Amino acid sequence: MKRQGPIGHVDADCYYVAAERVRHAHLAGLPVGVLGNQGACVIAKSYEMKAAGVGTGMPIWDAMALCPEGVYVKRDFRWYEVLSRLMLETMRELSPKVEYYSIDEFYFEVVSPRGGDDQEAARLVRDRIMERVRVPVTVGIARTRTLAKLISDAAKPFGARAVLDPAAEHALLAARPVTDVTGIAGRRERLLLPRGIRTCLDLARADRRIIRRVLTASGEALWWELNGDPVIPINAQRTPHKVLSRGGSFGAPTGRPEVLWAWLVRNLERLVEELAFHRVLAGRVAFWVGYRDGHASEGRATPGVPTDRFDVLLDALRPCLRRAWVPGAMAARMHLFAEDLRPHLPRHLGLFDGTGPGDAATAVKRAVNDRHGRFALRSGATLPLGPIYADRANGHDICDVRGKTCF
C-alpha cells in the first residue's frame, strides 16, 4: 500500500452549542439545548445537559422535565456555517490539503511545526481554532483517517492526541467497540457479531478476505485503514453529486392536500437553487412522502428533457403527488429528489427552443432573491406556509451548507 504522512481529524465539541456560545457568552457553563427548526426536539445539547439525561432527538417536553433549568434555543444553520467557514480558513492556513467533511469535521494532511512533532501539531490546530473562532475542537492524528477519527473521538472534549505507534494503536482499538468505526453500524454490526468481532481490534485482526466477503470492498478499506494502511484519501474537492435532494419534517402533520402541495413547491424551490448552483440538470425526479402512521408512498417522473426549470419540474412532480397522496392520512415529512443528473453545458438550440415565460419568471425571481434575501419572492402556492417563512430559522438548513463531503 502507498505510504503517506500522518492524517489529522478535527471534530468540534458540541458544535451547535459552541456556536451559540460564541455569540451569547452568558451561555458558557449552562445546560444548553439546540432545538430543530420546528422547536419540537433537541438536535444538540451541551455536556451539562447531557449529564442531566437529555439525549439527541428527545422531544422538548421530555427534555424540560429532565433539565428544567436548561436554556433551549432554536437552531441557526446560517450562523453555524459562518463559523464553519472560519474553521476551514484556519485549517487551510495550517495544512496544504484539507477535506471539508461536514459542518464541524475536517480531515487534513499533517504538517508538524518547526522543531515540533505530531503531538505538537495536534495541539497547534486545536489551539489555533480556539484562538481564531472561539470554538472548542478535538484533534486526532494517526497513520490513516479512520484511525485519526477514532483517536479524536477518544480524546474528547478539547483534546489533542497523536498516536502513530502500532502498540498504542492496538491498545486504543481494543478499548473501542466496532461500532465506533464510521461505516459500521446496524446491519454490518449484526453481520460481524457471529464472527466474534466486537471491538475495533477484532476487526483489524480478522481475516481480510472474510471482511471483504461480509462487508464488501468498502469494509475491506476500513480493515486496511485500521491496520495503518491509508487507502481512503483526503478529498480536498467534493466529488460530483449523483443525486440532489431537499425536504424534511413538516413539524405539524397535515392531511390537507393544499398544504402538502405548498410543501412540495417550497422544497422544489430549494431543489432548483441547488441544481443551478451545481450547474446540473435533472433527468428524472422522485417524490416521497412519509405518514404519521409509519407508512410511506412515492412517485417518479421523467421530464421531456433534462432541466433545472421550476415550471417544468413542477409539472413533472404534480402527478407524483397524486400517486403518493393518501386521502385522510396525516403526512409528516417529504423529500424531493433530482436524479440522473447531467452537466449544464452550452448546446445548440433546436427549432422550437428558446426562452419562454418560465425562463423569464425564473430570472426575475432569482434576481429579486439575490438582492433582498432567500425566499423574499416565492411561488404563491406556498401561502399556506406563512408561519414557516416568518420564522428566520427556516431560511437555511443543514443541507444548504455547500461544499462538505458527507452530504
Side-chain angles (χ1 to χ4, degrees):
M1 295 293 173
K2 182 181 177 181
R3 292 289 177 180
Q4 65 180 37
I7 294 175
H9 177 253
V10 177
D11 190 7
D13 301 329
C14 301
Y15 178 59
Y16 297 167
V17 172
E20 294 296 339
R21 286 171 170 171
V22 168
R23 61 180 176 182
H24 302 301
H26 70 281
L27 295 176
L30 297 178
V32 178
V34 177
L35 305 177
N37 61 334
Q38 308 298 336
C41 69
V42 177
I43 62 171
K45 72 280 183 190
S46 67
Y47 289 110
E48 296 86 356
M49 185 166 284
K50 182 179 180 180
V54 176
T56 301
M58 182 176 287
I60 178 63
W61 45 89
D62 293 337
M64 291 184 69
L66 289 172
C67 190
E69 72 280 11
V71 179
Y72 298 90
V73 298
K74 188 168 284 190
R75 59 56 159 186
D76 183 353
F77 287 124
R78 191 182 299 278
W79 170 241
Y80 305 158
E81 184 180 9
V82 168
L83 294 185
S84 179
R85 296 292 176 186
L86 290 175
M87 287 195 287
L88 179 60
E89 289 177 13
T90 303
M91 288 305 306
R92 285 175 172 164
E93 294 175 3
L94 298 171
S95 172
K97 195 171 187 180
V98 180
E99 178 179 321
Y100 186 26
Y101 183 73
S102 74
I103 194 170
D104 66 339
E105 281 187 90
F106 309 86
Y107 289 96
F108 65 98
E109 185 178 294
V110 176
V111 177
S112 297
R114 183 172 298 181
D117 56 12
D118 295 318
Q119 181 60 45
E120 182 61 30
R123 285 193 290 266
L124 174 64
V125 170
R126 179 197 64 184
D127 296 345
R128 185 69 60 84
I129 291 176
M130 188 64 181
E131 173 191 338
R132 294 277 184 86
V133 193
R134 293 189 291 144
V135 168
V137 303
T138 297
V139 181
I141 292 177
R143 294 189 289 165
T144 71
R145 60 184 286 155
T146 301
L147 287 170
K149 178 166 175 54
L150 286 171
I151 291 165
S152 67
D153 287 346
K156 280 183 169 293
F158 201 56
R161 187 180 178 192
V163 178
L164 294 108
D165 175 66
E169 289 174 356
H170 286 175
L172 171 76
L173 295 178
R176 311 295 294 189
V178 71
T179 50
D180 280 2
V181 178
T182 300
I184 304 293
R187 187 183 67 85
R188 281 185 158 187
E189 180 191 12
R190 292 191 293 272
L191 290 172
L192 294 174
L193 283 176
R195 294 167 173 82
I197 299 174
R198 290 176 170 79
T199 70
C200 296
L201 186 59
D202 292 336
L203 179 57
R205 288 179 171 173
D207 188 308
R208 177 182 60 82
R209 293 166 297 181
I210 293 176
I211 296 303
R212 182 180 179 90
R213 186 169 68 248
V214 173
L215 302 183
T216 72
S218 62
E220 182 188 9
L222 295 174
W223 182 93
W224 284 111
E225 291 264 316
L226 291 175
N227 282 285
D229 287 297
V231 298
I232 305 177
I234 296 174
N235 297 311
Q237 298 295 324
R238 196 201 191 288
T239 53
H241 287 277
K242 294 183 178 179
V243 175
L244 288 171
S245 174
R246 285 296 179 270
S249 170
F250 300 158
T254 181
R256 295 166 55 195
E258 71 274 16
V259 175
L260 203 60
W261 174 248
W263 276 107
L264 185 153
V265 171
R266 169 183 162 83
N267 288 320
L268 179 58
E269 289 181 324
R270 298 174 63 217
L271 184 60
V272 166
E273 283 183 343
E274 293 310 297
L275 291 169
F277 176 82
H278 293 288
R279 294 196 57 77
V280 291
L281 307 174
R284 185 172 58 250
V285 289
F287 171 83
W288 179 94
V289 59
Y291 293 90
R292 190 166 60 180
D293 63 5
H295 82 273
S297 53
E298 62 181 32
R300 277 184 163 76
T302 302
V305 294
T307 183
D308 63 353
R309 275 181 47 169
F310 173 80
D311 57 328
V312 175
L313 292 173
L314 189 61
D315 283 344
L317 285 163
R318 195 184 306 269
C320 296
L321 174 59
R322 293 196 193 101
R323 287 193 291 271
W325 178 50
V326 178
M330 299 295 286
R333 55 200 178 277
M334 169 192 300
H335 289 280
L336 306 185
F337 301 89
E339 304 171 338
D340 189 20
L341 300 180
R342 317 284 183 87
H344 196 314
L345 300 174
R347 64 183 180 88
H348 292 292
L349 294 177
L351 179 61
F352 300 104
D353 289 334
T355 58
D359 298 290
T362 297
V364 170
K365 186 177 180 181
R366 188 171 299 163
V368 170
N369 289 337
D370 286 346
R371 181 169 181 177
H372 297 284
R374 194 172 186 228
F375 304 130
L377 186 63
R378 62 185 190 274
S379 169
T382 63
L383 286 175
L385 306 180
I388 299 297
Y389 283 100
D391 185 347
R392 63 184 294 273
N394 287 284
H396 199 76
D397 212 334
I398 185 64
C399 55
D400 297 320
V401 181
R402 292 164 172 152
K404 48 190 198 314
T405 299
C406 64
F407 292 118

